[in-house]
Amino acid sequence: MARKIIIDTDPGIDDAMAIFLALQSPEVEVIGLTTIYGNVYTSLATRNALHLLEVAGRTDIPVAEGSHVTITKGTKLRIASFVHGADGLGNQNFLPPSGKPIELSAAAFMIEQANQYPGEVTVVALGPLTNVALAIEEDPAFAEKIGQIVLLGGAFLVNGNVNPAAEANIFGDPEAADIVFTSGADVVAVGLNVTHQVVLTELDRAKLEQSNGKFAQYLSKILDVYFAYHQESYLMKGVYLHDPTAILAAIDPSLMTFMEGVVRVQTSGITRGLTILYNRQKRFGEYTEWTDKPTSKVAVTVDAPAVVKLVMDRLMES
Ligand SMILES: O=c1[nH]cnc2c1ncn2[C@@H]1O[C@H](CO)[C@@H](O)[C@H]1O
């Protein structure tokens, strides 16, 4: 039976790829999209999530709007419009969607689904972790009832993309991320150390453009802005497949290897947003902030060619 997934998302060009990839993957059943700020503000994320489901012909899937502020009620959000365009989807002037989000908040929807299908729902979190942390705070049993939380976030032993310390999703709400990592839920983190190995090339993009696939066609257009950003910021002629890689971690973990250990998030100072995985090589004599905390699984290697091939094949099939 297909695994139920909720995609918590801030669409976002690579989010659009990830959502389409999930819709094309028979191993999973997308039971809802929940929205969050990050690549765009939350209201626009909701609008884009509804739009993407309309493009896909999947308006049967509910969209629940998430938090507009961080878990500490912070309103100074860092929005990555320079990565995805002002509209989050490559500045294509799409018409507004006709659908509406459901009445439940993102966190309430996650809690409802976890209660309805205990142990069977995976949340794939593609943006800052505010909604997931709210679900954990609002329902003490959520961490146990949710099947798995696969999150795109962190930079384990490599530089971040907001600054040398921090990756964008964790930096967006470090307090929320620390709540998630120490919640005791089955947490799988896919960070930049892995996603920076997964690159979609110009040639791949040309293939998407030439394909008859509906999703491939749509994506080849919105990818312009994302390519321009990578060219400017990384001097590369390709784009990182962050969010699609996280979807595939939920679908087929054998594409990656993982290290298990306690992860804590730095919440202050110049390294705010830094993710530190304790690799358990030393048994510290004294108490540390990592002592006796629940562990997470952190992706450390990836079969990048296999990931890119799966993404391409499935998007071109549409
Ligand atoms: O420089 C950046 N600042 C903010 N967000 C970024 C940047 N580069 C990529 N992303 C976005 O953040 C997630 C991965 O960290 C991805 O969703 C990616 O699209």
Side-chain angles (χ1 to χ4, degrees), residues 55-218:
V55 169
R58 290 302 306 273
T59 51
D60 56 304
I61 298 174
V63 174
E65 185 160 85
S67 184
H68 297 259
V69 297
T70 68
I71 194 100
T72 57
K73 306 276 189 285
T75 51
K76 248 184 85 184
L77 309 174
R78 178 182 180 278
I79 300 300
S81 50
F82 54 93
V83 180
H84 302 271
D87 68 351
L89 294 173
N91 295 330
Q92 297 290 306
N93 292 315
F94 293 118
L95 291 173
S98 42
K100 295 259 176 307
I102 59 174
E103 289 293 321
L104 287 179
S105 71
F109 178 74
M110 287 178 192
I111 292 169
E112 179 200 70
Q113 295 301 311
N115 279 321
Q116 199 166 341
Y117 308 106
E120 290 178 33
V121 179
T122 297
V123 172
V124 184
L126 304 178
L129 290 160
T130 320
N131 294 332
V132 185
L134 283 170
I136 291 166
E137 285 200 333
E138 284 169 23
D139 179 357
F142 180 78
E144 212 172 287
K145 282 183 300 197
I146 196 70
Q148 191 167 60
I149 298 166
V150 178
L151 66 93
L152 183 270
F156 297 90
L157 302 173
V158 299
N159 275 178
N161 56 1
V162 170
N163 60 45
E167 180 277 333
N169 288 343
I170 305 295
F171 188 79
D173 196 344
E175 285 83 4
D178 198 55
I179 289 170
V180 173
F181 279 118
T182 57
S183 67
D186 181 359
V187 175
V188 174
V190 180
L192 298 184
N193 50 304
V194 158
T195 60
H196 277 181
Q197 297 173 49
V198 186
V199 176
L200 186 98
T201 64
E202 295 269 17
L203 187 66
D204 295 326
R205 187 191 159 190
K207 282 190 203 154
L208 291 178
E209 200 167 1
Q210 283 152 23
S211 139
N212 290 324
K214 170 171 70 174
F215 296 144
Q217 286 281 324
Y218 177 96

Side-chain angles (χ1 to χ4, degrees), residues 227-300:
F227 268 81
Y229 159 74
H230 286 75
Q231 170 75 58
E232 187 175 314
S233 295
Y234 296 96
L235 300 178
M236 69 190 245
K237 291 190 188 307
V239 298
Y240 296 130
L241 295 184
H242 304 284
D243 296 342
T245 305
I247 294 285
L248 289 178
I251 290 177
D252 183 3
S254 75
L255 293 162
M256 288 158 225
T257 63
F258 302 86
M259 189 188 278
E260 186 163 351
V262 177
V263 174
R264 296 302 308 264
V265 180
Q266 173 63 278
T267 52
S268 65
I270 62 168
T271 53
R272 183 169 158 80
L274 178 70
T275 43
I276 306 274
L277 165 68
Y278 166 42
N279 65 14
R280 296 196 275 198
Q281 278 173 15
K282 176 167 187 205
R283 301 180 61 180
F284 295 99
E286 66 264 66
Y287 173 87
T288 79
E289 296 295 340
W290 286 255
T291 303
D292 298 335
K293 294 283 189 297
T295 58
S296 302
K297 298 185 203 82
V298 173
V300 287

